[in-house]
Amino acid sequence: MTTSVADIAESTLEALDRGEQIGPFSEGDATFDLDQAYAIIARMRELREARGERVVGRKIGFTNRRIWSEYGVFAPIWGYVYDTTAHELSNVGGGFSLDAFSEPQIEPEIAFKLRTVPRGGLSPEELLGSIEWATHGFEIVQSIFPGWKFTAADSVAANGLHGALLLGPQRQQPQDLAEWTRMLCSFDIELSRNGEKMDRGHASNVIDGPLHALLHLIELLRHDQHNPPLAAGEIITTGTLTRAFPAVRGQRWDTALHGIPLDGISVMFSNDA
């Protein structure tokens, strides 16, 4: 690379902090790759922790095969979720501000909190036994690269395009792991904007189901030389169940889930500029 990992981490964090956009790193360096990108987010984690932020989990991106061709990214990636980017929807109140984000989009997702550290080679049902709770939430993703044009490595370096995670009510670990495993692979979701249905998704859109997405992340981290494996207590959001849509001030977004006992959620984006 013509620019160091430390320099890119600092410039990326500055762009994220200011809600500004910059050119993709791959434009100036055709060799820019995923290994370098994961080194950058490891350095950004150090910078954020040094100023008092705390990692609370990870986000998995591009798990939905339906959107791969739209963005030119054809495999899942991940980024960090911080205590400054994760929010309970019950605390959002009258509206959530989008002012901090560049070209924000909204994605309905399933998130898990880990009770224990999951090991590799688990079945989906065995993995569910490592989970403390499941919930449904919205991830606000953003692009510091104009027009959402980037490579997979660029998207990782921008912390997996993560902006915010808005979490709904939690469902504690169920007793019937087999039934919950089945539901987490088979439920449907409807996404509406201002009362108009925008899309319908299915659990299998997310690499055959959210548990499979989490298993994929565990495997990715086994080969990551720069970032630590998952830890007990982390919250993992597993990727969008529908297409992603532009998030705009004044919009209200709602979901309804079918085939799984998780509550639908709502968010209003505030009109404040």
Side-chain angles (χ1 to χ4, degrees):
M1 292 180 67
T2 57
T3 307
S4 72
V5 163
D7 287 342
I8 293 179
E10 289 179 9
S11 63
T12 303
L13 185 55
E14 184 176 353
L16 290 168
D17 285 343
R18 295 184 176 182
E20 296 177 348
Q21 293 182 304
I22 58 179
F25 309 117
S26 59
E27 283 187 353
D29 184 354
T31 68
F32 187 65
D33 62 16
L34 286 170
D35 182 70
Q36 293 164 325
Y38 282 117
I40 288 165
I41 65 168
R43 176 55 183 156
M44 274 201 293
R45 174 178 179 164
E46 293 175 354
L47 293 172
R48 296 181 82 148
E49 289 179 333
R51 67 189 192 185
E53 293 182 76
R54 179 174 60 87
V55 169
V56 296
R58 323 281 174 111
K59 62 76 50 91
I60 316 175
F62 295 111
T63 54
N64 190 330
R65 300 183 184 98
R66 294 171 62 199
I67 67 173
W68 283 358
S69 60
E70 183 178 350
Y71 296 97
V73 176
F74 296 94
I77 55 94
W78 68 270
Y80 285 108
V81 178
Y82 293 88
D83 59 349
T84 52
T85 67
H87 311 271
E88 299 284 345
L89 271 170
S90 59
N91 296 329
V92 168
F96 184 76
S97 175
L98 298 168
D99 292 348
F101 309 117
S102 301
E103 297 188 53
Q105 297 188 357
I106 188 170
E107 300 181 343
E109 309 195 0
I110 298 297
F112 303 113
K113 182 178 181 181
L114 297 177
R115 179 175 55 82
T116 59
V117 178
R119 58 180 173 81
L122 296 176
S123 69
E125 184 175 333
E126 290 170 333
L127 176 62
L128 189 56
S130 300
I131 290 170
E132 179 180 336
W133 50 251
T135 190
H136 171 40
F138 290 121
E139 187 184 13
I140 308 303
V141 291
Q142 62 173 329
S143 179
I144 61 171
F145 312 114
W148 283 82
K149 301 299 182 184
F150 44 71
T151 65
D154 292 323
S155 72
V156 169
N159 194 36
L161 310 176
H162 176 64
L165 179 59
L166 310 177
L167 296 166
Q170 302 160 6
R171 174 68 183 249
Q172 297 300 310
Q173 183 196 52
Q175 297 298 313
D176 191 339
L177 297 183
E179 177 62 6
W180 263 82
T181 301
R182 182 195 67 78
M183 290 189 291
L184 282 164
C185 292
S186 61
F187 71 89
D188 293 297
I189 182 172
E190 292 180 357
L191 176 66
S192 299
R193 181 187 66 200
N194 298 336
E196 177 186 0
K197 180 179 169 183
M198 299 300 294
D199 202 8
R200 186 178 182 92
H202 190 270
S204 62
N205 290 343
V206 181
I207 315 184
D208 304 319
L211 290 171
H212 291 271
L214 180 49
L215 287 169
H216 185 86
L217 175 61
I218 294 167
E219 191 62 24
L220 276 179
L221 290 169
R222 283 185 58 209
H223 304 284
D224 192 315
Q225 304 176 59
H226 311 288
N227 297 277
L230 296 175
E234 286 199 50
I235 298 169
I236 316 298
T237 190
T238 55
T240 188
L241 294 155
T242 67
R243 290 174 292 149
F245 291 89
V248 178
R249 295 187 187 100
Q251 292 176 339
R252 178 186 174 91
W253 289 87
D254 303 276
T255 63
L257 285 79
H258 309 283
I260 192 169
L262 288 174
D263 295 332
I265 54 175
S266 300
V267 67
M268 181 78 185
F269 295 129
S270 62
N271 276 307
D272 298 338

